[in-house]
């Protein structure tokens, strides 16, 4: 890989973000994520930004969004600049999908969950199907016979569009690095407690263990992966601070950054906050909702203590 040395055009200011989905009340785990991202930025004299990830309009509710602002303000957090709302940005995602489509990187998929399960259960030699960050690795049924790219038709809507991972690997080829075992792949820097270091994902692993992921959904014409990558870049995020549950999705994000010509931030995947029984907190778990603690007379300092953060 050749890369000419280039001086940054401006001093690097640390910019972190909190990107909740307004589909339920924030709980202790969200508070930890937001406080950590906020503290990391403020400690460096940097910026902390807020983004509302509301692409799934069947699940997002304005009252949950209002509660996010209320809870964060109560926690003592301030954010810089306007709040970004993903539901306002569908044309931006559409433009990115058009560009990927024009490069033959996407194909329509009409498989139902059932079709996929059946294709995976069909007798075949080799290893059992892998489970990727988005669930079972897609068996590729629609890839072979699907129209791809601009020659045949304009980008279809109203159906899933999948990323052709084999082709994506080829397109990325001049961005790949070689690891010590002579594998080609993509790299990102992780600073979180569990996986700290340079994280390498070989192109082979992308195909075998992640597969042709859905980038635009039948019901809403984007996906978490596509939107998060585009918006982290749009908000100039330098450090993505988020829960460890998203660690496995990060190679997908790095790949999309290469395909879309976007920078790769540093990633910090933090430990997850668990309840007394050791279970991960879920949005439905109202007992751990920040609002419940507020109503019961807890203070923001109590919340910081409960998630193991120093006083703000
Ligand atoms: N919106 C995602 C969530 O609430 C977080 C996305 C991210 O931090 O990358 O789980
Ligand atoms: Zn299909």
């Amino acid at each position: 890989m050749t890369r000419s040395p280039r001086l940054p055009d401006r001093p690097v200011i640390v910019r972190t973000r909190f990107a909740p989905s307004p589909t339920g009340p924030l709980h202790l785990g969200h508070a930890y994520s937001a406080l950590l991202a906020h503290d990391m930025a403020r400690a460096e004299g940097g910026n902390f930004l807020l983004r509302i990830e509301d692409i799934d309009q069947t699940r997002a509710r304005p009252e949950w969004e209002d509660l996010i602002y209320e809870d964060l303000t109560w926690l003592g957090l301030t954010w810089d600049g306007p709040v970004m709302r993903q539901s306002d940005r569908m044309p931006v995602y559409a433009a990115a999908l058009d560009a990927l489509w024009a490069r033959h990187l996407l194909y329509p998929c009409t498989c139902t969950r059932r079709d996929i399960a059946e294709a995976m259960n069909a007798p075949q030699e080799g290893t059992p199907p892998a489970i990727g960050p988005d669930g079972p690795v897609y068996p590729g049924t629609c890839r072979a016979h699907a129209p791809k790219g601009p020659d045949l038709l304009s980008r279809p809507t109203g159906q899933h569009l999948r990323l052709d991972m084999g082709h994506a690997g080829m397109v990325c080829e001049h961005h790949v690095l070689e690891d010590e075992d002579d594998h080609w792949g993509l790299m990102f820097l992780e600073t979180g407690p569990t996986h700290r270091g340079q994280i390498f994902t070989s192109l082979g692993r992308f195909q075998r263990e992640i597969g042709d992921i859905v980038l635009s959904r039948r019901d809403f014409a984007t996906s978490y992966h596509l939107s998060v990558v585009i918006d982290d870049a749009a908000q100039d995020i330098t450090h993505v601070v988020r829960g460890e549950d998203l660690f496995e999705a990060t190679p997908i994000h790095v790949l999309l950054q290469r395909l879309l010509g976007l920078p790769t931030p540093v990633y910090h995947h933090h430990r997850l906050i668990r309840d007394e029984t050791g279970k991960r907190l879920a949005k439905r778990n109202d007992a751990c909702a920040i609002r419940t603690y507020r109503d019961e007379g807890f203070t923001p300092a109590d919340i910081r203590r409960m998630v193991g953060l120093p006083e703000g």
Side-chain angles (χ1 to χ4, degrees):
M1 194 195 60
T2 54
R3 189 181 281 160
S4 45
R6 212 180 62 125
L7 293 173
D9 3 46
R10 48 194 164 134
V12 179
I13 295 174
V14 170
R15 284 167 72 89
T16 64
R17 47 71 163 182
F18 178 54
S21 302
T23 55
L26 297 187
H27 56 58
L28 274 184
H30 296 105
Y32 178 57
S33 209
L35 289 164
L36 188 64
H38 171 270
D39 291 3
M40 279 173 67
R42 296 292 181 238
E44 302 288 329
N47 300 132
F48 171 68
L49 289 91
L50 183 58
R51 178 167 76 235
I52 302 295
E53 300 212 322
D54 59 348
I55 51 176
D56 185 351
Q57 287 285 308
T58 63
R59 293 173 61 225
R61 297 260 179 286
E63 44 292 14
W64 295 130
E65 185 177 331
D66 291 342
L67 187 59
I68 289 172
Y69 303 132
E70 245 179 63
D71 284 342
L72 294 180
T73 304
W74 178 79
L75 283 167
L77 298 184
T78 53
W79 49 91
D80 299 302
V83 176
M84 180 176 274
R85 290 167 83 237
Q86 290 191 324
S87 55
D88 296 335
R89 293 176 49 75
M90 297 307 286
V92 179
Y93 310 140
L97 289 166
D98 285 340
L100 295 173
W101 175 261
R103 290 158 70 201
H104 302 254
L105 283 161
L106 304 176
Y107 64 87
C109 171
T110 52
C111 295
T112 59
R113 249 178 240 279
R114 173 118 163 252
D115 295 334
I116 295 177
E118 278 170 9
M120 296 200 340
N121 288 333
Q124 49 177 295
E125 331 89 89
T127 41
I131 305 295
D134 281 1
V137 171
Y138 179 63
T141 323
C142 287
R143 190 193 312 123
H145 56 78
K148 247 189 260 172
D151 310 340
L152 295 162
L153 73 178
S154 60
R155 178 170 63 86
T157 51
Q159 45 189 313
H160 284 354
L161 295 180
R162 291 186 180 274
L163 178 66
D164 182 333
M165 197 54 95
H167 189 45
M170 270 150 55
V171 167
C172 271
E173 218 152 355
H174 43 279
H175 297 287
V176 296
L177 303 169
E178 204 171 0
D179 74 353
E180 56 273 19
D181 303 319
D182 302 332
H183 293 124
W184 295 93
L186 300 179
M187 189 101 96
F188 66 94
L189 178 62
E190 166 68 32
T191 63
T194 311
H195 306 271
R196 195 180 296 270
Q198 296 284 351
I199 306 297
F200 179 87
T201 308
S202 70
L203 296 182
R205 256 194 78 195
F206 274 104
Q207 266 183 273
R208 286 189 311 273
E209 296 174 27
I210 297 174
D212 294 354
I213 50 164
V214 173
L215 284 192
S216 177
R217 292 171 52 98
R218 171 180 310 125
D219 42 352
F220 47 92
T222 183
S223 58
Y224 159 65
H225 299 305
L226 184 74
S227 297
V228 81
V229 156
I230 291 175
D231 291 345
D232 281 337
Q235 290 189 302
D236 276 326
I237 301 304
T238 61
H239 293 68
V240 169
V241 179
R242 62 185 178 194
E244 235 161 54
D245 51 333
L246 288 167
F247 178 77
E248 297 296 336
T250 302
I252 298 175
H253 301 172
V254 176
L255 174 73
L256 290 175
Q257 286 152 5
R258 296 295 177 281
L259 293 177
L260 295 168
L262 301 174
T264 293
V266 174
Y267 285 89
H268 184 102
H269 293 91
H270 59 71
R271 65 188 162 81
L272 300 177
I273 304 292
R274 296 174 188 276
D275 69 10
E276 317 76 55
T277 67
K279 275 220 309 281
R280 263 178 59 183
L281 300 181
K283 279 236 163 93
R284 272 162 270 284
N285 191 342
D286 244 28
C288 296
I290 301 307
R291 187 184 39 194
T292 309
Y293 289 109
R294 275 164 52 191
D295 292 346
E296 287 174 359
F298 285 75
T299 67
D302 294 329
I303 303 291
R304 279 184 172 272
R305 207 170 308 116
M306 286 159 64
V307 298
L309 279 172
E311 258 158 66

